[in-house]
Amino acid sequence: MVSMEEFREYLDEACEQIPEEYYGELNGGVLLREEVKIHPKSNGDELKIMGEYVYSRTMGRLIYIYYGSFMAVYGEASKELLKREIKHTLEHELTHHLESLAGEKDLEIADEIQIHRYLERK
């Protein structure tokens, strides 16, 4: 399991690999949070939220990445896999950001379909 500091380095590396213009209007930036975040529709604690795009009138636009969720799912994974998953999650949340700016909801709809399929399996 990697430390939160090491994880932060991996997240910083992932952020640097993405073109700067994708961060436009993301005034709150990309924030690392320590906790495990469980999806509200999860069966118990099996469905963890790795990242979250937030837009609010008071806080603006920001992305949370949940270290605890990553460690719960990928704590024993190789560093290479962990880095790939961090980048994948960051790209996913940035897509939410860009779609929000464009007034689109394609990824939001795709996420809802995925949750619906999960709930059908319960």
Side-chain angles (χ1 to χ4, degrees):
M1 190 157 95
V2 302
S3 69
M4 191 159 166
E5 291 74 29
E6 193 173 8
F7 187 95
R8 185 181 316 275
E9 289 174 19
Y10 298 165
L11 178 57
D12 289 345
E13 287 173 18
C15 287
E16 290 169 7
Q17 293 173 11
I18 294 172
E20 203 172 304
E21 56 267 17
Y22 288 31
Y23 296 100
E25 296 188 43
L26 191 68
N27 64 308
V30 177
L31 304 176
L32 182 59
R33 299 197 56 171
E34 191 170 358
E35 70 263 25
V36 174
K37 181 148 187 185
I38 306 299
H39 194 283
K41 294 182 179 176
S42 179
N43 182 18
D45 65 353
E46 71 181 14
L47 193 57
K48 298 180 180 55
I49 296 174
M50 306 306 215
E52 185 174 32
Y53 173 69
V54 177
Y55 171 63
S56 78
R57 296 183 196 280
T58 56
M59 294 179 58
R61 299 171 186 273
L62 58 117
I63 292 172
Y64 291 126
I65 301 294
Y66 295 98
Y67 167 78
S69 294
F70 270 92
M71 291 303 97
V73 175
Y74 299 106
E76 300 302 318
S78 69
K79 289 182 181 183
E80 293 75 25
L81 175 60
L82 180 58
K83 286 180 178 185
R84 278 196 309 271
E85 292 302 322
I86 290 168
K87 186 171 184 207
H88 172 77
T89 299
L90 177 62
E91 289 170 342
H92 182 95
E93 300 311 327
L94 279 169
T95 301
H96 278 299
H97 169 60
L98 295 172
E99 285 189 353
S100 172
L101 291 174
E104 298 293 329
K105 294 187 178 222
D106 291 349
L107 186 55
E108 194 174 316
I109 292 166
D111 286 349
E112 283 299 317
I113 290 169
Q114 203 171 14
I115 292 298
H116 180 74
R117 287 181 182 147
Y118 164 80
L119 292 172
E120 285 179 336
R121 292 190 311 253
K122 282 171 92 174

